[in-house]
Amino acid sequence: MGKDLKGKELGIGIIQRKDGLYQGRYCDRWGKRKTIYNKNLRELRKQLAEAIVANENFMSIKNNITLNKWFTRWMEVYKEKSIRANTKRNYTHVYQKNIAPYIGERYINSLVKSDIQLLVDRACDAGYGYERQNKIKVILRDMLQRAVEDNLVVNNPVSGIKLRAIKVVKAKSLTLEEQNIFFDYCKNTFYENLFNVAVNTGLRPGELFALQLDDIDLEHGFIDVNKTLVYQKYLTDNRKEFHIEPPKTKQSYRKVPINSICKVYLGRQLELKRVVSCKKPKQHNNYLFVTKFNTPLNTQIYSDAIRAVIRQINLVRSLDNQFEKFSGHTFRHTFATRCFENGVEAKVVQSYLGHASLKMTMDLYTHVTEDKATQDIEKIVLEDKNIISMDRRLA
């Protein structure tokens, strides 16, 4: 029991200081001592009572928040208006597949670091690689950091979690020989123009699919990249649908120059589009690259078209010398690789690709720049040998 300066009992947690100020103390939900000051004893008692009740009510609410409930609120408050629909779908899929079945009904204040580590380990044991493990970590880290900011948990248990897979950053690209072989075999196929534009611009598959006539400036020689086309089942869709979205990042808005080869194939595609549109007028759309039925492209159609060419290549090859399968994204990496091999500056390559940072570009293509550096230094050695040989002959 506290007392005032005259020795009168004031109640539990209340005292009067020598300067006459009344002081009230209580312990918050974290066990930390909190202090309230007021010159008026009645007002102090009221403030202290309200603080204690609010703290107790908050604790009861806090104890009833499951991770599933917090995921819903986290999505509504922090993600709904800041991420694309496709990203929201991806977050929800990962949460429902790899997180909710194991700790979704746990109270968020009960989660500890070992719970999260076991979750990542479980994903690893199930065969999920670096990207999925990292996505689990990213989602939970942001969710629980927001909970910390709202005073729902004391600290973020995701800090220090170890992923059980190594990130592979080497980008798959075609060698010059593989590139020549593939493009020899894809001649006169329906998607020949698409393949050639892809490998000469480095556009992402979704950016290629979204291209429309207004995005092509043949006179000034550039492609205006300002959107991407995705084929996904969003949370509000009944089935997979085509959706136009903004490019991947702010830097993905860009103007990509067109070389002379690319101009030829863009011109051919413009003519092919007119032919297809006449044959299938009911399937009207403004996309430059389409199927034979004048419908939009997606990654599955793109991959199937590439594999059809590879099958033709492998028909004349032995089983131990098969042409390796690759995805449409490989054309993008091949474009970047050819740029580096021909001495294009890394900053320029970054602008062509629309990467968010130069570091991202360099991390992806370090092996290419290292190989080129080795080749360049060997040229210097050869030149020196020629000089030495010439000196000996002169002597």
Side-chain angles (χ1 to χ4, degrees), residues 100-198:
Y102 308 105
I103 59 174
E105 292 302 321
R106 289 276 300 275
Y107 295 139
I108 59 175
N109 67 322
S110 72
L111 294 172
V112 294
K113 182 176 178 179
S114 59
D115 294 322
I116 314 301
Q117 188 64 67
L118 284 171
L119 198 67
V120 171
D121 291 349
R122 184 179 285 112
C124 179
D125 293 340
Y128 291 102
Y130 176 89
E131 294 300 331
R132 178 57 66 90
Q133 292 178 38
N134 188 54
K135 187 66 70 177
I136 294 168
K137 181 178 178 180
V138 166
I139 291 171
L140 286 174
R141 181 173 56 199
D142 194 74
M143 282 179 64
L144 295 173
Q145 185 56 42
R146 301 296 187 178
V148 170
E149 294 168 3
D150 281 358
N151 291 324
L152 297 175
V153 295
V154 180
N155 52 45
N156 192 338
V158 183
S159 301
I161 294 300
K162 303 296 183 183
L163 302 182
R164 302 308 190 187
I166 299 174
K167 184 177 182 180
V168 179
V169 297
K170 183 175 180 178
K172 162 67 179 173
S173 62
L174 301 176
T175 65
L176 194 55
E177 180 183 5
E178 290 171 335
Q179 182 179 337
N180 290 335
I181 292 171
F182 180 88
F183 283 94
D184 278 343
Y185 273 84
C186 81
K187 285 179 180 177
N188 301 318
T189 64
F190 184 81
Y191 294 108
E192 177 188 7
N193 300 328
L194 172 63
F195 299 149
N196 276 279
V197 171

Side-chain angles (χ1 to χ4, degrees), residues 224-277:
D224 184 13
V225 181
N226 53 61
K227 55 187 169 296
T228 186
L229 182 67
V230 296
Y231 184 61
Q232 294 286 355
K233 181 181 180 297
Y234 288 171
L235 299 179
T236 54
D237 294 335
N238 294 322
R239 57 186 178 83
K240 280 189 174 184
E241 302 282 356
F242 284 100
H243 299 273
I244 283 286
E245 290 192 353
K248 189 174 182 181
T249 65
K250 182 179 178 181
Q251 287 74 20
S252 295
Y253 287 93
R254 63 199 189 279
K255 293 186 187 304
V256 178
I258 302 171
N259 60 30
S260 57
I261 296 175
C262 189
K263 282 185 180 180
V264 170
Y265 286 101
L266 280 171
R268 292 180 182 178
Q269 183 61 29
L270 289 170
E271 180 58 33
L272 180 60
K273 169 66 177 180
R274 283 191 285 269
V275 172
V276 174
S277 296

Side-chain angles (χ1 to χ4, degrees), residues 51 58 147 200-201 239 309 367 385:
F58 191 92
N200 280 284
T201 61
R239 57 186 178 83
V309 176
H367 62 290
K385 286 180 179 179

